Amino acid sequence: MIERNQAQLGQIVKVLRGRDTEKVAVIVGIVDERFVLLADGDKRKFDQPKRKNLLHLQLQNVISREVVDSLKETGRVTNGKLRYAVNKFVENEQAEALEGRE
């Protein structure tokens, strides 16, 4: 289980404040205990991550193994892997929402 305000590399987050409100992204870097770097592989690429305050994010209990492994091996992650992680999370969330309605 992930601690409430303990951000981890590869963790999926929902943006609560700012221009990207309601968007889903992946943590690709940790600046300090307050700020992280986000990318989604689409609008926000790995080479130009968004610096975001943790108070403006909703941390999800999902960590993308592909992203974490890639960051540990090479120090980078492809934008395709970021898009895959985000899309997989969104699809799972939509499937859970549909199951909840039935």
PDB file of all heavy atoms in Angstrom, residues 35-58:
ATOM      1  N   PHE A  35       7.309  18.771  -4.512  1.00  0.00           N
ATOM      2  CA  PHE A  35       7.119  18.862  -5.955  1.00  0.00           C
ATOM      3  C   PHE A  35       7.565  17.603  -6.682  1.00  0.00           C
ATOM      4  O   PHE A  35       8.536  16.959  -6.291  1.00  0.00           O
ATOM      5  CB  PHE A  35       7.900  20.053  -6.522  1.00  0.00           C
ATOM      6  CG  PHE A  35       7.341  21.388  -6.102  1.00  0.00           C
ATOM      7  CD1 PHE A  35       7.872  22.066  -5.028  1.00  0.00           C
ATOM      8  CD2 PHE A  35       6.273  21.960  -6.774  1.00  0.00           C
ATOM      9  CE1 PHE A  35       7.371  23.288  -4.623  1.00  0.00           C
ATOM     10  CE2 PHE A  35       5.751  23.181  -6.381  1.00  0.00           C
ATOM     11  CZ  PHE A  35       6.305  23.851  -5.304  1.00  0.00           C
ATOM     12  N   VAL A  36       6.830  17.295  -7.761  1.00  0.00           N
ATOM     13  CA  VAL A  36       7.181  16.169  -8.620  1.00  0.00           C
ATOM     14  C   VAL A  36       7.161  16.635 -10.075  1.00  0.00           C
ATOM     15  O   VAL A  36       6.641  17.708 -10.385  1.00  0.00           O
ATOM     16  CB  VAL A  36       6.199  14.986  -8.440  1.00  0.00           C
ATOM     17  CG1 VAL A  36       6.298  14.392  -7.050  1.00  0.00           C
ATOM     18  CG2 VAL A  36       4.770  15.394  -8.752  1.00  0.00           C
ATOM     19  N   LEU A  37       7.712  15.817 -10.958  1.00  0.00           N
ATOM     20  CA  LEU A  37       7.684  16.072 -12.394  1.00  0.00           C
ATOM     21  C   LEU A  37       6.713  15.093 -13.036  1.00  0.00           C
ATOM     22  O   LEU A  37       6.789  13.883 -12.791  1.00  0.00           O
ATOM     23  CB  LEU A  37       9.080  15.912 -12.989  1.00  0.00           C
ATOM     24  CG  LEU A  37      10.154  16.844 -12.430  1.00  0.00           C
ATOM     25  CD1 LEU A  37      11.516  16.494 -13.025  1.00  0.00           C
ATOM     26  CD2 LEU A  37       9.810  18.296 -12.711  1.00  0.00           C
ATOM     27  N   LEU A  38       5.800  15.623 -13.850  1.00  0.00           N
ATOM     28  CA  LEU A  38       4.771  14.807 -14.486  1.00  0.00           C
ATOM     29  C   LEU A  38       4.916  14.813 -15.996  1.00  0.00           C
ATOM     30  O   LEU A  38       5.304  15.816 -16.590  1.00  0.00           O
ATOM     31  CB  LEU A  38       3.377  15.354 -14.164  1.00  0.00           C
ATOM     32  CG  LEU A  38       2.959  15.447 -12.719  1.00  0.00           C
ATOM     33  CD1 LEU A  38       1.551  16.029 -12.632  1.00  0.00           C
ATOM     34  CD2 LEU A  38       3.009  14.098 -12.059  1.00  0.00           C
ATOM     35  N   ALA A  39       4.565  13.688 -16.602  1.00  0.00           N
ATOM     36  CA  ALA A  39       4.483  13.592 -18.060  1.00  0.00           C
ATOM     37  C   ALA A  39       3.381  12.602 -18.396  1.00  0.00           C
ATOM     38  O   ALA A  39       3.083  11.699 -17.608  1.00  0.00           O
ATOM     39  CB  ALA A  39       5.815  13.133 -18.648  1.00  0.00           C
ATOM     40  N   ASP A  40       2.770  12.775 -19.576  1.00  0.00           N
ATOM     41  CA  ASP A  40       1.750  11.815 -20.006  1.00  0.00           C
ATOM     42  C   ASP A  40       2.095  11.173 -21.343  1.00  0.00           C
ATOM     43  O   ASP A  40       1.382  10.305 -21.820  1.00  0.00           O
ATOM     44  CB  ASP A  40       0.366  12.466 -20.062  1.00  0.00           C
ATOM     45  CG  ASP A  40       0.259  13.588 -21.077  1.00  0.00           C
ATOM     46  OD1 ASP A  40       1.204  13.796 -21.867  1.00  0.00           O
ATOM     47  OD2 ASP A  40      -0.780  14.270 -21.083  1.00  0.00           O
ATOM     48  N   GLY A  41       3.195  11.605 -21.960  1.00  0.00           N
ATOM     49  CA  GLY A  41       3.625  11.022 -23.225  1.00  0.00           C
ATOM     50  C   GLY A  41       2.889  11.588 -24.430  1.00  0.00           C
ATOM     51  O   GLY A  41       3.241  11.297 -25.560  1.00  0.00           O
ATOM     52  N   ASP A  42       1.879  12.394 -24.194  1.00  0.00           N
ATOM     53  CA  ASP A  42       1.084  12.948 -25.288  1.00  0.00           C
ATOM     54  C   ASP A  42       1.296  14.463 -25.335  1.00  0.00           C
ATOM     55  O   ASP A  42       2.170  14.955 -26.028  1.00  0.00           O
ATOM     56  CB  ASP A  42      -0.386  12.593 -25.085  1.00  0.00           C
ATOM     57  CG  ASP A  42      -1.265  13.055 -26.230  1.00  0.00           C
ATOM     58  OD1 ASP A  42      -0.760  13.165 -27.349  1.00  0.00           O
ATOM     59  OD2 ASP A  42      -2.466  13.312 -25.994  1.00  0.00           O
ATOM     60  N   LYS A  43       0.514  15.197 -24.570  1.00  0.00           N
ATOM     61  CA  LYS A  43       0.666  16.658 -24.528  1.00  0.00           C
ATOM     62  C   LYS A  43       1.937  17.051 -23.780  1.00  0.00           C
ATOM     63  O   LYS A  43       2.641  17.981 -24.151  1.00  0.00           O
ATOM     64  CB  LYS A  43      -0.556  17.268 -23.846  1.00  0.00           C
ATOM     65  CG  LYS A  43      -0.486  18.760 -23.723  1.00  0.00           C
ATOM     66  CD  LYS A  43      -1.715  19.317 -23.046  1.00  0.00           C
ATOM     67  CE  LYS A  43      -1.543  20.799 -22.843  1.00  0.00           C
ATOM     68  NZ  LYS A  43      -1.619  21.194 -21.451  1.00  0.00           N
ATOM     69  N   ARG A  44       2.225  16.317 -22.714  1.00  0.00           N
ATOM     70  CA  ARG A  44       3.387  16.616 -21.879  1.00  0.00           C
ATOM     71  C   ARG A  44       4.381  15.477 -22.044  1.00  0.00           C
ATOM     72  O   ARG A  44       4.195  14.405 -21.515  1.00  0.00           O
ATOM     73  CB  ARG A  44       2.907  16.740 -20.429  1.00  0.00           C
ATOM     74  CG  ARG A  44       3.914  17.195 -19.448  1.00  0.00           C
ATOM     75  CD  ARG A  44       4.558  18.505 -19.775  1.00  0.00           C
ATOM     76  NE  ARG A  44       3.703  19.654 -19.526  1.00  0.00           N
ATOM     77  CZ  ARG A  44       4.142  20.902 -19.619  1.00  0.00           C
ATOM     78  NH1 ARG A  44       5.388  21.163 -19.922  1.00  0.00           N
ATOM     79  NH2 ARG A  44       3.329  21.901 -19.411  1.00  0.00           N
ATOM     80  N   LYS A  45       5.430  15.722 -22.831  1.00  0.00           N
ATOM     81  CA  LYS A  45       6.428  14.696 -23.148  1.00  0.00           C
ATOM     82  C   LYS A  45       7.432  14.520 -22.005  1.00  0.00           C
ATOM     83  O   LYS A  45       7.571  15.377 -21.139  1.00  0.00           O
ATOM     84  CB  LYS A  45       7.199  15.072 -24.421  1.00  0.00           C
ATOM     85  CG  LYS A  45       6.326  15.393 -25.609  1.00  0.00           C
ATOM     86  CD  LYS A  45       5.752  14.161 -26.214  1.00  0.00           C
ATOM     87  CE  LYS A  45       5.118  14.531 -27.553  1.00  0.00           C
ATOM     88  NZ  LYS A  45       4.079  13.687 -27.961  1.00  0.00           N
ATOM     89  N   PHE A  46       8.161  13.392 -22.043  1.00  0.00           N
ATOM     90  CA  PHE A  46       9.155  13.097 -21.015  1.00  0.00           C
ATOM     91  C   PHE A  46      10.245  14.164 -20.979  1.00  0.00           C
ATOM     92  O   PHE A  46      10.723  14.526 -19.904  1.00  0.00           O
ATOM     93  CB  PHE A  46       9.779  11.721 -21.262  1.00  0.00           C
ATOM     94  CG  PHE A  46      10.893  11.402 -20.291  1.00  0.00           C
ATOM     95  CD1 PHE A  46      10.609  10.986 -19.006  1.00  0.00           C
ATOM     96  CD2 PHE A  46      12.216  11.544 -20.660  1.00  0.00           C
ATOM     97  CE1 PHE A  46      11.620  10.712 -18.099  1.00  0.00           C
ATOM     98  CE2 PHE A  46      13.243  11.271 -19.765  1.00  0.00           C
ATOM     99  CZ  PHE A  46      12.939  10.853 -18.483  1.00  0.00           C
ATOM    100  N   ASP A  47      10.631  14.688 -22.140  1.00  0.00           N
ATOM    101  CA  ASP A  47      11.708  15.680 -22.206  1.00  0.00           C
ATOM    102  C   ASP A  47      11.294  17.050 -21.676  1.00  0.00           C
ATOM    103  O   ASP A  47      12.149  17.884 -21.389  1.00  0.00           O
ATOM    104  CB  ASP A  47      12.208  15.830 -23.644  1.00  0.00           C
ATOM    105  CG  ASP A  47      12.889  14.563 -24.138  1.00  0.00           C
ATOM    106  OD1 ASP A  47      13.506  13.863 -23.311  1.00  0.00           O
ATOM    107  OD2 ASP A  47      12.788  14.278 -25.342  1.00  0.00           O
ATOM    108  N   GLN A  48      10.006  17.293 -21.560  1.00  0.00           N
ATOM    109  CA  GLN A  48       9.486  18.566 -21.053  1.00  0.00           C
ATOM    110  C   GLN A  48       8.446  18.306 -19.959  1.00  0.00           C
ATOM    111  O   GLN A  48       7.278  18.649 -20.113  1.00  0.00           O
ATOM    112  CB  GLN A  48       8.829  19.359 -22.195  1.00  0.00           C
ATOM    113  CG  GLN A  48       9.761  19.783 -23.287  1.00  0.00           C
ATOM    114  CD  GLN A  48      10.619  20.954 -22.863  1.00  0.00           C
ATOM    115  OE1 GLN A  48      10.122  21.937 -22.337  1.00  0.00           O
ATOM    116  NE2 GLN A  48      11.911  20.847 -23.064  1.00  0.00           N
ATOM    117  N   PRO A  49       8.846  17.704 -18.829  1.00  0.00           N
ATOM    118  CA  PRO A  49       7.855  17.376 -17.794  1.00  0.00           C
ATOM    119  C   PRO A  49       7.330  18.620 -17.094  1.00  0.00           C
ATOM    120  O   PRO A  49       7.964  19.661 -17.094  1.00  0.00           O
ATOM    121  CB  PRO A  49       8.647  16.494 -16.822  1.00  0.00           C
ATOM    122  CG  PRO A  49      10.061  16.950 -16.981  1.00  0.00           C
ATOM    123  CD  PRO A  49      10.207  17.344 -18.427  1.00  0.00           C
ATOM    124  N   LYS A  50       6.150  18.479 -16.516  1.00  0.00           N
ATOM    125  CA  LYS A  50       5.515  19.568 -15.768  1.00  0.00           C
ATOM    126  C   LYS A  50       5.870  19.433 -14.300  1.00  0.00           C
ATOM    127  O   LYS A  50       5.703  18.374 -13.704  1.00  0.00           O
ATOM    128  CB  LYS A  50       3.990  19.470 -15.946  1.00  0.00           C
ATOM    129  CG  LYS A  50       3.197  20.442 -15.117  1.00  0.00           C
ATOM    130  CD  LYS A  50       3.346  21.832 -15.627  1.00  0.00           C
ATOM    131  CE  LYS A  50       2.494  22.797 -14.811  1.00  0.00           C
ATOM    132  NZ  LYS A  50       2.928  24.159 -14.979  1.00  0.00           N
ATOM    133  N   ARG A  51       6.374  20.511 -13.704  1.00  0.00           N
ATOM    134  CA  ARG A  51       6.658  20.539 -12.271  1.00  0.00           C
ATOM    135  C   ARG A  51       5.346  20.857 -11.566  1.00  0.00           C
ATOM    136  O   ARG A  51       4.683  21.840 -11.894  1.00  0.00           O
ATOM    137  CB  ARG A  51       7.705  21.609 -11.983  1.00  0.00           C
ATOM    138  CG  ARG A  51       8.133  21.678 -10.554  1.00  0.00           C
ATOM    139  CD  ARG A  51       9.310  22.655 -10.457  1.00  0.00           C
ATOM    140  NE  ARG A  51       9.766  22.777  -9.103  1.00  0.00           N
ATOM    141  CZ  ARG A  51       9.479  23.800  -8.307  1.00  0.00           C
ATOM    142  NH1 ARG A  51       8.746  24.808  -8.751  1.00  0.00           N
ATOM    143  NH2 ARG A  51       9.943  23.834  -7.082  1.00  0.00           N
ATOM    144  N   LYS A  52       4.946  20.008 -10.625  1.00  0.00           N
ATOM    145  CA  LYS A  52       3.637  20.165 -10.001  1.00  0.00           C
ATOM    146  C   LYS A  52       3.720  19.939  -8.495  1.00  0.00           C
ATOM    147  O   LYS A  52       4.432  19.050  -8.026  1.00  0.00           O
ATOM    148  CB  LYS A  52       2.688  19.132 -10.624  1.00  0.00           C
ATOM    149  CG  LYS A  52       1.239  19.441 -10.487  1.00  0.00           C
ATOM    150  CD  LYS A  52       0.793  20.482 -11.475  1.00  0.00           C
ATOM    151  CE  LYS A  52      -0.711  20.664 -11.367  1.00  0.00           C
ATOM    152  NZ  LYS A  52      -1.141  21.980 -11.727  1.00  0.00           N
ATOM    153  N   ASN A  53       2.984  20.750  -7.747  1.00  0.00           N
ATOM    154  CA  ASN A  53       2.896  20.637  -6.302  1.00  0.00           C
ATOM    155  C   ASN A  53       2.049  19.411  -5.951  1.00  0.00           C
ATOM    156  O   ASN A  53       0.981  19.204  -6.525  1.00  0.00           O
ATOM    157  CB  ASN A  53       2.244  21.907  -5.746  1.00  0.00           C
ATOM    158  CG  ASN A  53       2.288  21.988  -4.247  1.00  0.00           C
ATOM    159  OD1 ASN A  53       2.195  20.994  -3.545  1.00  0.00           O
ATOM    160  ND2 ASN A  53       2.411  23.209  -3.745  1.00  0.00           N
ATOM    161  N   LEU A  54       2.514  18.600  -5.002  1.00  0.00           N
ATOM    162  CA  LEU A  54       1.768  17.405  -4.596  1.00  0.00           C
ATOM    163  C   LEU A  54       0.377  17.729  -4.058  1.00  0.00           C
ATOM    164  O   LEU A  54      -0.540  16.913  -4.172  1.00  0.00           O
ATOM    165  CB  LEU A  54       2.550  16.624  -3.534  1.00  0.00           C
ATOM    166  CG  LEU A  54       3.661  15.729  -4.062  1.00  0.00           C
ATOM    167  CD1 LEU A  54       4.485  15.183  -2.912  1.00  0.00           C
ATOM    168  CD2 LEU A  54       3.105  14.611  -4.897  1.00  0.00           C
ATOM    169  N   LEU A  55       0.209  18.924  -3.485  1.00  0.00           N
ATOM    170  CA  LEU A  55      -1.109  19.317  -2.974  1.00  0.00           C
ATOM    171  C   LEU A  55      -2.129  19.466  -4.096  1.00  0.00           C
ATOM    172  O   LEU A  55      -3.332  19.439  -3.844  1.00  0.00           O
ATOM    173  CB  LEU A  55      -1.004  20.631  -2.186  1.00  0.00           C
ATOM    174  CG  LEU A  55      -0.160  20.588  -0.915  1.00  0.00           C
ATOM    175  CD1 LEU A  55      -0.057  21.980  -0.311  1.00  0.00           C
ATOM    176  CD2 LEU A  55      -0.739  19.603   0.081  1.00  0.00           C
ATOM    177  N   HIS A  56      -1.664  19.626  -5.321  1.00  0.00           N
ATOM    178  CA  HIS A  56      -2.556  19.805  -6.464  1.00  0.00           C
ATOM    179  C   HIS A  56      -2.798  18.512  -7.221  1.00  0.00           C
ATOM    180  O   HIS A  56      -3.357  18.529  -8.317  1.00  0.00           O
ATOM    181  CB  HIS A  56      -1.980  20.856  -7.422  1.00  0.00           C
ATOM    182  CG  HIS A  56      -1.851  22.202  -6.794  1.00  0.00           C
ATOM    183  ND1 HIS A  56      -1.151  23.226  -7.381  1.00  0.00           N
ATOM    184  CD2 HIS A  56      -2.325  22.708  -5.625  1.00  0.00           C
ATOM    185  CE1 HIS A  56      -1.206  24.298  -6.591  1.00  0.00           C
ATOM    186  NE2 HIS A  56      -1.907  23.995  -5.529  1.00  0.00           N
ATOM    187  N   LEU A  57      -2.381  17.394  -6.624  1.00  0.00           N
ATOM    188  CA  LEU A  57      -2.511  16.094  -7.278  1.00  0.00           C
ATOM    189  C   LEU A  57      -3.273  15.121  -6.401  1.00  0.00           C
ATOM    190  O   LEU A  57      -3.211  15.197  -5.183  1.00  0.00           O
ATOM    191  CB  LEU A  57      -1.124  15.502  -7.562  1.00  0.00           C
ATOM    192  CG  LEU A  57      -0.194  16.319  -8.434  1.00  0.00           C
ATOM    193  CD1 LEU A  57       1.177  15.661  -8.474  1.00  0.00           C
ATOM    194  CD2 LEU A  57      -0.760  16.475  -9.823  1.00  0.00           C
ATOM    195  N   GLN A  58      -3.957  14.199  -7.048  1.00  0.00           N
ATOM    196  CA  GLN A  58      -4.573  13.083  -6.343  1.00  0.00           C
ATOM    197  C   GLN A  58      -3.769  11.838  -6.712  1.00  0.00           C
ATOM    198  O   GLN A  58      -3.825  11.375  -7.847  1.00  0.00           O
ATOM    199  CB  GLN A  58      -6.030  12.924  -6.771  1.00  0.00           C
ATOM    200  CG  GLN A  58      -6.742  11.790  -6.070  1.00  0.00           C
ATOM    201  CD  GLN A  58      -8.167  11.641  -6.565  1.00  0.00           C
ATOM    202  OE1 GLN A  58      -8.475  11.954  -7.710  1.00  0.00           O
ATOM    203  NE2 GLN A  58      -9.031  11.158  -5.695  1.00  0.00           N
TER     204      GLN A  58
END
